[in-house]
Amino acid sequence: METERLTLRPLGASDVDLLHELHADPEVMRFLDPEPVEHFLGESFLAAFEKDTGRFVGWFEFKPVGDGVAELGYRLHPEFWGRGYATEGSRALISRGFTTGDVRRVVATTMFVNSGSRRVMEKSGLRHVRTFHVDWAEPLPGSEHGEVEYALTKEEWQSAGMWQTDLVDLDAYFARTGASASSSLTELHEAHVRAIPFENIDVMLGRVPSLDLGDIQAKMLGRRGGYCYEHQLLFTAVLERLGYEVRRRMSRVMTGPRTHFVSLVDDHLVDVGFGAGMLHPMPLVDGVVVDQAGWPHRLRWEDRWVLEKETADGWQHMHAFEPDVEQRPVDYMMANYYVATHERSPFSRQLVVMRLEPGLSRRLVGTTLTIERAGNKPENSQVENLSETLESLDITLTERELSHIGSTAGTIVGANS
């Protein structure tokens, strides 16, 4: 079989010398016990070669270990580490197992301290199942921390494909947000909101924002942001890659149509895309009040969940959603088109950029910049230089984009630093 950059074929007797060389490398065997190379010959072990150079990269294992269960493994020469080959080969084998075979579950194990192998498992779509300990006759350094098992079911793999979860670049995402795979749900939520702006610039440029996850990442992991569909599709894909179970839902804003994208994770409302309004998840508990960066929010149950924000005039209704109404990608595609193009949509008529951090909310709506500090009255000012204002909100545009938006908003464009 072939992947984008690799050719894979079963290991045979002619590959014994290649195996000896691979297994003689102490870096390769750092977390492994030696075994006879003959153990790795056969249909369950595949030699991997670079397409461009023909060089031997290493091998992959995809071996039946039970009824409908296959074990995934890999060993690559260190010179090929960090190039994505292990993930590329693993994903190809998982895909073939689920689509052409009787495989219903894929498992993989490694030492807890083998962070590199664990990252490959996570990037291949597997989720941590358990940590366990084995009494080894001659334990390797680090074995006191135990072994870890990762797994992926066919149903999980199919769902990930529907939501493009396998496309998530976790390294780039963590570089953008400052979070990590070990961050809690609350930490991930806050890091996302603080790092990535809420904005509708694509709509102001006459575009319907793409909901393809690759396009979303290309935009939002640079110096841009997005609105709810983009934020939530990216964030929920990250959460699923980290092993969270996500339920994607649609919410009705005020008295309008159901157009807002929310998610339910671990019995919490997760909402990183409501105009940068929520810094933290909210537990699905009737009457719960959570301080959101200095602005209290409340959830109430009245045959549906209702999110409210405390204002000087009392509790203001934000949006409401039914927890059990399942959504599909096409539902968000239709809502996205409506929000981006309908004449009554608030996002089709004026520029909107929002940022939130503890104690500080910044909102650019049309040509008005509102700066609000928790407990104080909002301060409004008219934008005099669009480029400078957007830069202050962590958004960088091209000169052409600035000119187009500036002519629409009636502001001075200025220089794009």
Side-chain angles (χ1 to χ4, degrees):
M1 64 179 293
E2 292 188 349
T3 69
E4 181 181 353
R5 298 175 294 168
L6 301 174
T7 298
L8 286 78
R9 62 161 175 78
L11 281 164
S14 62
D15 301 312
V16 168
D17 289 342
L18 295 175
L19 289 174
H20 276 301
E21 181 184 1
L22 176 67
H23 294 182
D25 191 315
E27 283 298 305
V28 173
M29 302 302 293
R30 180 182 177 188
F31 300 106
L32 301 164
D33 287 319
E35 297 178 69
V37 296
E38 289 75 18
H39 174 80
F40 303 95
L41 305 181
E43 294 292 326
S44 295
F45 295 88
L46 298 127
F49 299 87
E50 271 190 324
K51 282 184 179 180
D52 291 343
T53 66
R55 292 189 299 169
F56 177 63
V57 173
W59 57 254
F60 289 87
E61 172 192 12
F62 202 74
K63 178 176 65 179
V65 292
D67 185 18
V69 181
E71 182 177 39
L72 173 70
Y74 33 80
R75 290 184 195 174
L76 275 59
H77 278 291
E79 66 179 293
F80 298 106
W81 294 356
R83 301 190 189 183
Y85 284 149
T87 302
E88 183 176 320
S90 297
R91 287 180 177 178
L93 289 170
I94 292 169
S95 177
R96 186 177 72 169
F98 284 144
T99 56
T100 64
D102 297 325
V103 177
R104 298 191 303 275
R105 189 170 186 262
V106 176
V107 299
T109 59
T110 190
M111 291 179 64
F112 178 90
V113 294
N114 190 351
S115 58
S117 186
R118 296 181 67 174
R119 288 289 293 115
V120 171
M121 295 175 188
E122 292 166 357
K123 293 173 72 173
S124 300
L126 280 72
R127 303 176 180 181
H128 178 257
V129 174
R130 64 186 178 115
T131 300
F132 60 99
H133 290 79
V134 178
D135 293 328
W136 300 107
E138 298 182 10
L140 294 168
S143 60
E144 66 273 15
H145 299 289
E147 309 282 316
V148 290
E149 178 183 338
Y150 281 71
L152 176 68
T153 67
K154 186 173 183 177
E155 291 74 18
E156 291 169 340
W157 176 77
Q158 290 171 330
S159 176
M162 179 170 63
W163 296 106
Q164 300 182 296
T165 300
D166 60 332
L167 297 181
V168 172
D169 186 339
L170 287 176
D171 292 333
Y173 179 81
F174 292 144
R176 172 73 157 128
T177 64
S180 70
S182 61
S183 298
S184 67
L185 178 62
T186 296
E187 292 168 338
L188 289 164
H189 197 290
E190 177 173 346
H192 182 108
V193 172
R194 295 185 66 172
I196 307 178
F198 179 95
E199 47 102 329
N200 70 332
I201 289 171
D202 275 2
V203 176
M204 290 295 96
L205 295 172
R207 308 167 186 159
V208 176
S210 171
L211 298 190
D212 179 87
L213 195 59
D215 294 336
I216 292 173
Q217 289 188 116
K219 181 172 73 169
M220 297 179 68
L221 300 186
R223 286 297 300 275
R224 283 288 305 277
Y227 58 11
C228 71
Y229 311 111
E230 299 162 287
H231 277 279
Q232 288 286 103
L233 285 170
L234 176 59
F235 190 62
T236 55
V238 168
L239 291 181
E240 285 189 329
R241 283 289 298 278
L242 295 177
Y244 289 93
E245 182 178 341
V246 177
R247 291 182 290 159
R248 297 168 176 86
R249 298 294 183 257
M250 198 83 84
S251 189
R252 186 187 303 280
V253 181
M254 303 297 187
T255 58
R258 290 186 180 90
T259 55
H260 180 53
F261 188 162
V262 300
S263 302
L264 307 181
V265 181
D266 286 352
D267 293 321
H268 282 72
L269 169 64
V270 166
D271 193 355
V272 295
F274 192 63
M278 277 179 49
L279 197 62
H280 300 133
M282 295 193 62
L284 295 175
V285 175
D286 186 19
V288 69
V289 176
V290 175
D291 182 279
Q292 298 291 358
W295 290 269
H297 284 57
R298 180 174 71 182
L299 269 178
R300 291 191 301 104
W301 174 256
E302 49 178 45
D303 297 326
R304 57 179 183 166
W305 287 108
V306 178
L307 178 67
E308 300 171 319
K309 177 181 178 180
E310 188 175 36
T311 70
D313 299 321
W315 290 100
Q316 178 186 355
H317 179 105
M318 306 303 286
H319 61 80
F321 60 93
E322 291 79 13
D324 299 322
V325 180
E326 182 182 0
Q327 305 296 328
R328 299 276 177 153
V330 67
D331 299 319
Y332 298 116
M333 291 173 62
M334 293 182 65
N336 178 48
Y337 186 81
Y338 170 87
V339 169
T341 63
H342 198 278
E343 61 183 7
R344 294 186 180 179
S345 167
F347 296 109
S348 68
R349 304 192 302 268
Q350 58 189 354
L351 177 64
V352 179
V353 182
M354 299 184 179
R355 303 305 313 271
L356 180 67
E357 57 188 278
L360 178 63
S361 170
R362 293 176 290 164
R363 304 185 297 275
L364 173 61
V365 180
T367 61
T368 301
L369 177 65
T370 301
I371 297 178
E372 184 177 1
R373 293 173 174 81
N376 296 297
K377 293 183 178 180
E379 302 171 5
N380 298 319
S381 62
Q382 291 300 301
V383 173
E384 296 181 355
N385 187 302
L386 181 60
S387 177
E388 290 182 357
T389 300
L390 289 176
E391 287 284 351
S392 73
L393 296 170
D394 301 317
I395 292 175
T396 301
L397 301 181
T398 66
E399 293 292 346
R400 178 175 295 182
E401 291 170 338
L402 279 168
S403 178
H404 182 95
I405 293 178
S407 63
T408 303
T411 61
I412 299 173
V413 172
N416 187 12
S417 57

